[in-house]
Amino acid sequence: MSIEPRAQVAPERVLPAPVPMAPETAAQQRVVHRICARVAPPGTDVGVAELPPGGLQVWIDTPAPVGGPESWVLHHRMAREVALVGWHCEADADRLLVLGWSAACLHNRVRLLQSGLRRLADFDPTAQRAVQLDGRGPEDLAALSIGQVVADVCASIERRLRWPARLAELDGFERSSGLAHLQLLLAQVIGLEAKVAAACEEHLVMARVLAGAVCEHYARHSDLRRAQREVLAESRHWVHASSLIRSSAAARPGSTGAGRPHMGLAERRIAASVINHGGPRVIPATVAPRAGHAGLGEGAR
C-alpha cells in the first residue's frame, strides 16, 4: 500500500518585537503627561503615546465619553500649556498632537522668562505676604509649631510664584535639537530658566526668614501686629537696596546708569549694610594751606 508523503509543516510565524521607545521620547512623554495632568480637571485621566510619524499624541482617557465642546476646550488648554515649553502643538476635539520644537514658541518662552525675571526683582509682595503668615492669627500660632507655620507660608508663596511648579515639570529632561538656531534658542531658554529658579529660591528664602522672625517676635511679646510691623520695617532696608545701588551707579563718571538687571537677596542684604554705596567722594571745602603757600582766599584779596 502506498503512503502519502508527510506534508511540510510551515514554521511558526514570529511577530516582530515592539521597537523600544527612544530615551528622549520617553522623557518628553513624561513631561507632556505632567503638564496635561496639571491642566486636566480632577479625576480625569490623560493618555500619552508615541505618534508613529514622530511626536506624541495626547487624549482624555475616561470611562464616560467627554462632550465635544468640553473636549475641544480641554485639548486646546493643554496645547497652550505644552506650547509654552517650546513645542508646536495641534489640537482638536479628539486629541492633541505634540510635534517638534518651534522657533516661535521658543521665542515666546524667552519673553515669558525675561518678564518673569523682571517681576521677581521686586521682593515687596513676597515680604508683605510672608509677614502676614498666610492670614493666620494668634490662635493659629498657639496651635501650630513655628516650623509648620513657616512651611505653610513658603508653600503658599511658592504657589503664587507659579514658576517653581512649572520648572519642576521639566526635571530630568535634556532638551536638544539638530538645528543650530533651535539649539541656540534652547540654550537661551535653559539659561533663563536657571536664573528664574534662583530668583524664586531667593523669594522662598526671604519668606522663610521673615515668617520665622514674626513667629519669634510674637513668642517674646505676644503682639502679632507689632511683630509683623517690626519685621517688615527691618526687611525694607535690604529689600530696597538695589534701588540705592542703581542710583549711585548712575552718579559715577563714565557709568551708563543701567545698573544691574537683577540683584540677589544676599547682594541686597550686603548692600544695605554698606554706608557708601559707590557715590562720588566728597572733598571738604575747608583745607588748611601748607606753609609757604597762600590760600585761594588770600590770593584773591
Side-chain angles (χ1 to χ4, degrees), residues 259-293:
R260 299 189 60 175
H262 176 74
M263 289 186 64
L265 186 61
E267 293 173 295
R268 291 169 183 260
R269 300 189 69 172
I270 293 172
S273 64
V274 177
I275 298 176
N276 180 12
H277 291 285
R281 184 178 179 183
V282 179
I283 302 176
T286 58
V287 180
R290 289 184 296 177
H293 296 274

Side-chain angles (χ1 to χ4, degrees), residues 227-282:
Q228 292 170 340
R229 187 171 57 252
E230 291 181 353
V231 171
L232 188 60
E234 293 172 1
S235 69
R236 282 175 179 160
H237 297 292
W238 43 275
V239 166
H240 298 288
S242 60
S243 61
L244 298 176
I245 291 293
R246 282 193 291 267
S247 61
S248 62
R252 295 178 185 174
S255 174
T256 60
R260 299 189 60 175
H262 176 74
M263 289 186 64
L265 186 61
E267 293 173 295
R268 291 169 183 260
R269 300 189 69 172
I270 293 172
S273 64
V274 177
I275 298 176
N276 180 12
H277 291 285
R281 184 178 179 183
V282 179

